[in-house]
Amino acid sequence: MTEPALAERPAARPEAAIVVRDLSKKFGDFVAVDHLSFEVAPGRITGFLGPNGAGKTTTLRMLLGLIHPTGGSGLIGGIPYAQLSRPMETVGAALEATNFHPGRSGRDHLRVLAATHGIPDSRVDELLALVGIPAAARKRAGGYSMGMRQRLGLAAALLGDPHVLILDEPANGLDPEGIRWLRGFLRHLASEGKTILISSHLLSEVEQTVDDVVIIANGQLVRQGTIDELHGETTALIRTSNARGLIEALRAAGLEAGDEPAQGPGAVRVVTADLVRVGDIALAAGVPVHELRVLRTDLERLYFQLTESPENRNRNLADGSSADTPPPGALPHDLPPPDLPPPPADLPPGASRPDASEGSDR
Amino acid sequence: MSRLVRSELRKYFTTRMWWGMALAMFLVGALFAAFTGYFTLYGEMPVGEAMIRVRDAVPELTMVRMIYSGGIQFAYMLSLVIGVLSMGQEFRHKTISNTFLAGPRRHQVIFAKVAALIAILVVNAVAHIAGALVGGGVLLATAGESLFPDVAALGQTFALMALILIVWGLIGLGLGVLISNQVAALFVGIAFALIVEPIVAFALTFFEGWDVLAKFFPSQATTATLSLYSGMDPALGEAMGAGGDQLTWWAGALTLLAYAAIMTLIGLWLTRRRDIT
């Protein structure tokens, strides 16, 4: 999917909206977050990614002053959350979709929060309309579906019209329609210039939405950069009966090319996004072309490699406390390093993905 | 700060618990006042060898006061529940995250909870006293007794009843912070007031010099605050449950306030340190 909206947004400016510096948290002997540092650029959507139990929720909660760090700091606009004078007008946070008293209506839930900042009821109703649950919000929250809870959580985060949004797994438990709505909604918010930090254990969930990614595993930073950097160079794949001839022709035209056995027999990989030029070169060289397409990096696989490499493998798996991520093998040292043999490109969707429910992300 | 109080009040008055609790307070007041009224107006008690009519042995003001405050022991247990739930519900339903996101300076949130809780408990005290006036008043009127033999003294009694309900609510709040599982907190609070405290007080009577401590226990101090047995024959008082030597009403009230202050301070200290996961 092309993203014209993304290109129009400002590039990362030097002054970061959120700065996490050397942040650590131990729960007893368990190191949940381990000297984590990253920055979130203003006016962009940053995906905060990592498998279940990587420490995402703990990091966000430390950033929001709910958990006291063992070391390091998290600053929002240069200030610790607890020192913000009117926090809901600076940062909006939606942490869990279960944070509601079941006997209180969704509207009253928002009114309770609104009262803390003197926000009028008219703003509450405005937001309920914006997230699309104006009628249901007058019923008691105990009967809400997961999607309604997520929407109510988003409305709560937006009450003070903050310019920074921190959303913990906002897509969790949403059906495909809900996820589509969420994507559109986040793009709408980003177009207003808001800074959004959105956590997820599924890259595919946020891949089309985010500008930047911060990937963590076991409480440590694995990768930070723009989503385009993660994609790497754009390459094209050509299948032909004369791979050698085609490679020579492409190289003669000044392109970087080589065979790509992983894609099957006769596959050639060339570093360019210009398919027209590749086709013209093949025609000029008299080489038959059986297939010609842009070869996108499978981000999901890359993400999986990053977070499942031996040093980043989820330490929770050993004791089964994060059993919803399918363990690649009982004994990690029996396995070949996961990034050496590239798995088939047509990995069935969901085959390597953790379950959507994330109960043990601490 | 006043906004946080407003938020806390909204929190309480937007669930059905608020009118359920007020109704319970009213009914407890009415029923216990009626029972106590029936007992003191028509009952007899053995004092020494003889059976005497309670009505003849007790000064009029003491009797009326006893009737109107007949439900106080049950009512302050309800206050304790309100106090525990005002914190326990936040942990139970994880709304505490939102509460601290909106009010990251946690001591302010606790002070706001204390202020809101006092207002909430005043509402419940009014409901309870109204019930007591209805239930006790019907019995007194039908027995031909005056409803308000001493308006000023009874006014003081009602004010002290309200104070007792407020103080027990604040003790509950502290307990709710201390024990974040609301069911466990309720169990501990009620078990302490109804079981542990009387047993410990009884055990203390076996230790010379230590038994003076018993009158400072919360339930004993509560009884003392209301001067329930004043002007009554000591033997009759004991037969009706007066526990030996009692604090004066103001010492009782101060003792209760000290409990509330200590519990609130513990709550403040714990709340500031706690990780909200």
Side-chain angles (χ1 to χ4, degrees):
Chain A
M1 195 186 287
T2 50
E3 297 283 345
L6 290 183
E8 289 162 17
R9 244 173 283 148
R13 275 175 283 149
E15 64 275 25
I18 298 173
V19 177
V20 169
R21 191 63 73 225
D22 209 24
L23 200 62
S24 297
K25 180 65 186 180
K26 281 186 186 174
F27 293 108
D29 288 340
F30 180 73
V31 182
V33 177
D34 192 3
H35 299 282
L36 180 64
S37 298
F38 66 88
E39 292 182 359
V40 175
R44 293 169 69 88
I45 307 183
T46 301
F48 186 40
L49 302 166
N52 289 334
K56 301 186 295 295
T57 298
T58 304
T59 302
L60 295 183
R61 282 180 175 264
M62 284 194 281
L63 200 50
L64 294 166
L66 294 173
I67 293 179
H68 304 288
T70 314
S73 61
L75 302 176
I76 296 166
I79 304 171
Y81 186 88
Q83 286 170 25
L84 294 171
S85 56
R86 296 171 65 78
M88 283 166 64
E89 293 174 5
T90 307
V91 187
L95 289 178
E96 269 174 279
T98 52
N99 286 342
F100 308 108
H101 188 296
R104 190 178 291 133
S105 75
R107 185 170 180 274
D108 281 336
H109 171 79
L110 294 186
R111 289 180 64 245
V112 164
L113 294 174
T116 62
H117 283 58
I119 296 165
D121 286 358
S122 56
R123 171 75 180 158
V124 168
D125 292 324
E126 188 185 308
L127 279 168
L128 288 171
L130 185 68
V131 300
I133 52 169
R138 291 180 185 266
K139 298 199 177 85
R140 294 194 289 133
Y144 287 7
S145 68
M146 198 62 185
M148 286 165 69
R149 285 161 188 267
Q150 293 283 23
R151 286 171 192 233
L152 186 57
L154 280 173
L158 290 167
L159 266 180
D161 195 20
H163 44 82
V164 177
L165 281 171
I166 294 179
L167 311 174
D168 194 10
E169 300 271 357
N172 227 1
L174 290 185
D175 54 17
E177 163 56 28
I179 289 179
R180 208 166 59 113
W181 173 84
L182 180 69
R183 275 186 194 141
F185 191 66
L186 290 178
R187 269 186 219 123
H188 164 71
L189 293 173
S191 71
E192 295 178 341
K194 293 189 193 302
T195 303
I196 305 178
L197 179 62
I198 168 176
S199 86
S200 177
H201 60 286
L202 292 178
L203 175 64
S204 58
E205 219 170 55
V206 297
E207 184 185 335
Q208 296 173 27
T209 317
V210 301
D211 308 315
D212 300 330
V213 285
V214 172
I215 301 177
I216 68 167
N218 287 339
Q220 293 172 318
L221 185 69
V222 173
R223 183 77 80 91
Q224 169 168 25
T226 67
I227 194 91
D228 293 334
E229 283 166 12
L230 200 63
H231 272 294
E233 299 160 305
T234 314
T235 55
L237 178 94
I238 317 104
R239 200 179 303 283
T240 173
S241 52
N242 182 5
R244 179 174 299 271
L246 181 58
I247 289 169
E248 276 168 12
L250 288 167
R251 284 182 180 159
L255 292 170
E256 191 187 315
D259 55 352
E260 179 79 353
Q263 294 286 342
V268 171
R269 182 173 162 280
V270 55
V271 182
T272 179
D274 192 349
L275 296 183
V276 174
R277 184 167 173 222
V278 173
D280 288 348
I281 292 168
L283 179 63
V287 175
V289 171
H290 300 155
E291 184 182 356
L292 175 56
R293 62 182 162 96
V294 171
L295 186 64
R296 281 177 69 108
T297 317
D298 185 344
L299 277 184
E300 190 67 32
R301 185 165 23 122
L302 178 67
Y303 169 62
F304 199 62
Q305 284 169 7
L306 284 173
T307 56
E308 290 296 306
S309 65
E311 70 272 19
N312 294 327
R313 192 183 304 280
N314 192 329
R315 67 231 134 131
N316 291 335
L317 290 178
D319 57 23
S321 66
S322 182
D324 47 1
T325 308
L331 295 169
H333 57 262
D334 283 351
L335 287 167
D339 48 343
L340 279 186
D346 51 2
L347 193 70
S352 61
R353 288 171 198 172
D355 187 20
S357 68
E358 186 185 40
S360 58
D361 188 17
R362 283 287 176 271
Chain B
M1 188 66 201
S2 67
R3 283 173 167 166
L4 289 177
V5 178
R6 210 146 110 219
S7 172
E8 290 299 325
L9 287 172
R10 260 186 200 177
K11 217 174 265 179
Y12 186 78
F13 289 104
T14 50
T15 66
R16 292 183 293 187
M17 190 182 97
W18 91 263
W19 59 261
M21 196 52 92
L23 187 66
M25 282 285 194
F26 181 88
L27 291 177
V28 162
L31 289 176
F32 279 83
F35 279 134
T36 315
Y38 184 80
F39 169 74
T40 50
L41 291 166
Y42 305 108
E44 292 185 343
M45 288 286 286
V47 174
E49 297 292 301
M51 294 291 283
I52 58 163
R53 288 182 66 192
V54 178
R55 190 176 181 176
D56 299 333
V58 180
E60 190 183 25
L61 174 63
T62 301
M63 183 181 74
V64 173
R65 184 186 276 155
M66 195 179 276
I67 291 171
Y68 286 146
S69 63
I72 192 72
Q73 202 180 13
F74 206 111
Y76 72 64
M77 285 295 125
L78 291 181
S79 274
L80 187 79
V81 171
I82 295 174
V84 166
L85 292 186
S86 79
M87 203 65 200
Q89 295 265 294
E90 299 249 27
F91 288 119
R92 166 76 179 80
H93 300 300
K94 298 181 174 176
T95 50
I96 191 72
S97 292
N98 286 321
T99 301
F100 286 153
L101 285 177
R105 279 166 291 268
R106 298 185 186 177
H107 62 281
Q108 289 185 356
V109 173
I110 296 294
F111 285 134
K113 278 194 182 290
V114 168
L117 191 56
I118 290 172
I120 288 161
L121 290 164
V122 166
V123 170
N124 280 281
V126 168
H128 177 69
I129 292 165
L133 285 173
V134 171
V138 169
L139 268 280
L140 285 168
T142 53
E145 293 279 349
S146 162
L147 294 187
F148 300 103
D150 181 339
V151 175
L154 283 176
Q156 189 199 30
T157 298
F158 293 142
L160 288 172
M161 283 169 72
L163 177 77
I164 287 168
L165 295 180
I166 289 168
V167 163
W168 278 87
L170 295 178
I171 292 175
L173 176 66
L175 206 57
V177 177
L178 200 62
I179 306 171
S180 55
N181 182 318
Q182 59 179 3
V183 178
L186 283 175
F187 180 80
V188 167
I190 292 173
F192 182 84
L194 298 185
I195 301 167
V196 178
E197 192 195 312
I199 290 175
V200 174
F202 179 69
L204 283 178
T205 60
F206 294 103
F207 297 96
E208 195 65 38
W210 287 88
D211 52 341
V212 295
L213 288 179
K215 64 185 174 188
F216 291 104
F217 287 2
S219 306
Q220 291 288 324
T222 303
T223 324
T225 303
L226 289 176
S227 326
L228 277 186
Y229 306 102
S230 69
M232 200 190 287
D233 179 76
L236 179 62
E238 202 139 327
M240 293 179 68
D245 108 76
Q246 295 228 309
L247 295 169
T248 59
W249 71 265
W250 56 268
L254 285 179
T255 306
L256 286 180
L257 283 171
Y259 280 116
I262 291 168
M263 292 305 277
T264 305
L265 286 177
I266 293 175
L268 270 176
W269 184 72
L270 268 184
T271 306
R272 294 188 71 163
R273 302 184 66 232
R274 191 170 276 168
D275 280 341
I276 308 299
T277 52

